[in-house]
Amino acid sequence: MALEPSNSDLPYHGLYINGAWRDAEGGRAFTVTEPATGAPLARVASASIADVDQAVAAARNAFDHGPWPHTPHYERADILHKLAKMIEERTSELAELESRDGGVPLRATTFNDIPLGLHMMHVFGELARRSPYEPLPWNEFPTLAWSFVWRQPYGVCAQIIPWNYAFCMAIWKLGPALATGNTVVFKPSSLSPLTSIALVKMIDESGLLPKGVVNLVTGPGGETGEYLVSHPLVDKVAFTGSTDVGRKIMGIAAPHIKKVTLELGGKSPSILLPDADLEKAVDGALFGMFYHAGQLCEAGTRCFVHSSLYDEVVERMVARVRQLRVGDPLELATDIGPLISFKQRDSVERYIKIGRDEGARLAIGGNRPVGELYDKGPYLEPTIFTHVNNKSRLAQEEIFGPVFSVISYDEIGEAITMANDSMYGLAGAVWSKDIQQAVEVAKRLRTGTVWINDHHVLNPHAPFGGFKESGIGREMGVAGLLEYTEPTHIHVDFQQKRSGKIWWDALLPPLDDE
Ligand code: NAP
Ligand code: MG
């Protein structure tokens, strides 16, 4: 990355390596901007290969020689709860920062994103309190023995997050890694790094973690990120982002047999069963689609509606979308903010053209809203396509913007087949008054999460992750924590006599004294 002229009026954030803030090699830095206005928000250090080397070395040293991996789990639990308290004191500040940096409406960051991140941190504290010993059944073959599994931290973890949902993403990477005693080199997206940096500042100010346990490297994914995941001293890569980059990272991790957990793209279905309560299902499906302007991996971007309801549902959806306010994310009345970047809007607009060319019918939206405010940022109208073919690119490819595909079905089995006809398998929703029927449908969806009569509700006690090309492994919940551990089976033999040991017959000549 080229060295940009510095602007002394902007806040500047360095790299955090081995417990100290410092500049990147050669003073390299980049400017972070507000998507809504294009205004610069901060200057952020851009880590070179040498900087990443130092961050990984710090994490390696803290893991191999520091106290953190051996700190009792209940002490780590206390530390996570204390960090959560620090977050709690700064929720409104963090909500505004997240809104400015990511273009996310302030109502969402204030009432959901930041409180959810805080809640998650407490839950990781609770999970850390659970004992890392797992008893196994007594074993009698060939001699009486007691076995248990001791869960060790995995090691040095490279963690990379995308620009969307940035604060929660940072918590759900750092929380479980710290709960289980790992050390971390963490890289947020260059498009929205500021709440992650704020979190690392809180960790630093707390003085609760030994130096080198958490290290922050900011910089471009293709350079800083790629070098980080390829580093031979990294044991595990935890990546959230696009499927294409995830695929590449898996390849990079292969030569060193690094563990990877990948949280990737999605094209999640919302299925409205014939008995769905339309008062709730229409709003719920729209929330599933347009929350964060559709820039959420688990967004319900394909809506399967029973043919008996189709026209009514489309009519209701169009009427509701007319009421949504696209605008300044800092206004509490705003429902939909800008997209993260002009580049992202270009990409979404290409899909709108593809949808038209494929013969889907544009029911509403498809354009940039008009007005002075909208000229400053990458705004786009919420867009609904009807009569979409599930095989079309519109329905198969991840768009990551406010473009909804509404698809008709006649039989529930057909809806399930189409819902599963996707390279992705991250999430889904089923809308019905008949909960038993909804559960039966949920059980047949090949996805990591299914909401019944809801969407986007992330429960940090529950595993989250994808089937198929939506990823590998799980985050959150006990399953998520286990991804940050290596199990060691410890076998304690109870046979006192040498003659009773398995090796007696196999290996040793009989001894006179037995
Ligand atoms: P992205 O382009 O894949 O980037 C994600 C992160 O990886 C960023 O920090 C990026 O850094 C970095 N990166 C880019 N290229 C890299 C490389 N070659 N090696 C290592 N790191 C690299 O994704 P995005 O556009 O930021 O995010 C949107 C995507 O994330 C969507 O596909 C969405 O579905 C997915 N997502 C998945 C989940 C989930 O839980 N499954 C959650 C949220 C988002 P820079 O930004 O600094 O370049
Ligand atoms: Mg930004």
Side-chain angles (χ1 to χ4, degrees):
M1 175 172 292
L3 189 65
E4 289 180 15
S6 72
N7 177 337
S8 55
D9 297 339
L10 289 176
Y12 168 76
H13 306 289
L15 309 173
Y16 185 64
I17 296 176
N18 209 27
W21 292 93
R22 29 160 285 201
D23 291 346
E25 184 190 34
R28 294 175 7 145
F30 60 98
T31 302
V32 175
T33 57
E34 217 168 321
T37 60
L41 272 175
R43 299 264 308 154
V44 174
S46 180
S48 70
I49 281 175
D51 294 320
V52 174
D53 278 337
Q54 289 181 28
V56 173
R60 187 78 263 166
N61 187 52
F63 190 81
D64 292 341
H65 307 293
W68 184 244
H70 313 290
T71 300
H73 63 99
Y74 46 87
E75 287 180 21
R76 293 200 292 258
D78 288 344
I79 287 171
L80 293 185
H81 288 301
K82 283 180 189 160
L83 290 175
K85 274 274 162 224
M86 292 178 80
I87 294 169
E88 194 175 354
E89 282 158 21
R90 296 178 57 184
T91 44
S92 49
E93 184 192 326
L94 288 165
E96 188 185 327
L97 188 61
E98 185 87 321
S99 286
R100 283 189 188 282
D101 197 13
V104 185
L106 192 57
R107 229 171 51 229
T109 58
T110 302
F111 299 113
N112 180 58
D113 303 11
I114 305 298
L116 176 62
L118 165 63
H119 173 53
M120 284 173 171
M121 195 59 134
H122 275 302
V123 171
F124 292 130
E126 286 165 32
L127 293 173
R129 197 165 288 286
R130 295 163 67 117
S131 165
Y133 296 91
E134 286 166 20
L136 295 172
W138 285 85
N139 185 27
E140 282 190 304
F141 180 82
T143 59
L144 189 65
W146 178 58
S147 285
F148 63 96
V149 171
W150 163 245
R151 290 263 166 197
Q152 303 199 31
Y154 208 94
V156 173
C157 302
Q159 301 187 310
I160 297 187
I161 62 168
W163 44 263
N164 67 302
Y165 229 39
F167 184 72
C168 279
M169 292 280 163
I171 300 271
W172 93 47
K173 286 280 180 288
L174 292 173
L178 295 177
T180 43
N182 296 272
T183 63
V184 167
V185 181
F186 170 71
K187 192 199 95 64
S189 166
S190 305
L191 291 169
S192 61
L194 297 184
T195 49
S196 292
I197 293 171
L199 179 63
V200 174
K201 289 204 166 161
M202 283 185 245
I203 289 172
D204 177 42
E205 283 158 22
S206 77
L208 291 166
L209 295 178
K211 64 180 186 172
V213 170
V214 170
N215 304 275
L216 169 81
V217 290
T218 38
E223 291 175 50
T224 312
E226 199 162 319
Y227 183 66
L228 172 61
V229 297
S230 71
H231 204 291
L233 297 181
V234 165
D235 299 308
K236 166 181 163 124
V237 178
F239 171 79
T240 300
S242 59
T243 293
D244 281 344
V245 175
R247 202 174 271 125
K248 192 168 190 188
I249 285 176
M250 226 175 140
I252 292 171
H256 294 280
I257 320 290
K258 279 183 193 142
K259 183 180 172 82
V260 289
T261 46
L262 303 172
E263 297 287 349
L264 309 175
K267 195 76 191 181
S268 298
S270 285
I271 303 178
L272 272 60
L273 295 184
D275 73 331
D277 173 353
L278 294 191
E279 281 294 311
K280 295 187 194 115
V282 166
D283 267 14
L286 291 174
F287 165 68
M289 173 63 241
F290 293 116
Y291 194 48
H292 283 230
Q295 301 166 105
L296 288 174
C297 53
E298 78 281 1
T301 47
R302 293 180 298 149
C303 191
F304 296 95
V305 182
H306 191 260
S307 48
S308 65
L309 304 173
Y310 194 80
D311 291 342
E312 185 186 352
V313 165
V314 168
E315 201 176 301
R316 281 177 183 244
M317 283 180 170
V318 168
R320 269 312 261 131
V321 164
R322 264 203 192 98
Q323 296 170 334
L324 297 181
R325 277 156 299 206
V326 179
D328 179 352
L330 295 178
E331 293 282 336
L332 276 179
T334 293
D335 296 301
I336 299 182
L339 300 188
I340 189 70
S341 65
F342 287 100
K343 188 172 160 229
Q344 184 66 14
R345 184 174 68 180
D346 289 346
S347 162
V348 175
E349 286 179 332
R350 276 196 294 279
Y351 277 104
I352 292 173
K353 180 169 183 316
I354 288 169
R356 289 177 195 265
D357 292 348
E358 286 176 329
R361 294 188 207 162
L362 188 64
I364 189 166
N367 297 306
R368 301 173 186 181
V370 180
E372 202 187 327
L373 163 79
Y374 303 120
D375 294 339
K376 294 189 212 152
Y379 290 92
L380 194 60
E381 290 174 350
T383 299
I384 299 180
F385 277 103
T386 63
H387 302 83
V388 177
N389 181 337
N390 189 57
K391 295 274 187 205
S392 66
R393 288 185 66 191
L394 193 67
Q396 288 292 323
E397 297 180 19
E398 186 181 51
I399 300 173
F400 226 60
V403 181
F404 207 12
S405 294
V406 188
I407 300 167
S408 170
Y409 71 89
D410 293 318
E411 303 289 335
I412 294 176
E414 187 196 350
I416 294 169
T417 303
M418 285 195 286
N420 287 334
D421 182 9
S422 168
M423 66 183 252
Y424 296 112
L426 191 58
V430 182
W431 295 87
S432 171
K433 290 196 211 85
D434 179 345
I435 300 300
Q436 185 168 349
Q437 178 182 233
V439 169
E440 290 308 322
V441 173
K443 283 160 63 180
R444 291 173 60 192
L445 294 181
R446 303 283 298 159
T447 71
T449 299
V450 182
W451 291 282
I452 292 175
N453 296 330
D454 218 331
H455 210 109
H456 290 308
V457 182
L458 296 177
N459 172 355
H461 285 287
F464 183 82
F467 284 39
K468 300 186 259 181
E469 293 182 38
S470 285
I472 288 187
R474 291 294 180 269
E475 294 197 299
M476 297 197 275
V478 173
L481 250 69
L482 295 186
E483 302 275 9
Y484 282 94
T485 67
E486 276 278 39
T488 299
H489 167 211
I490 297 183
H491 172 106
V492 184
D493 193 68
F494 273 70
Q495 173 57 265
Q496 302 290 326
K497 286 188 181 168
R498 275 188 292 177
S499 59
K501 294 281 187 190
I502 182 173
W503 32 267
W504 182 260
D505 293 327
L507 195 63
L508 294 180
L511 295 176
D512 293 344
D513 61 356
E514 298 247 21

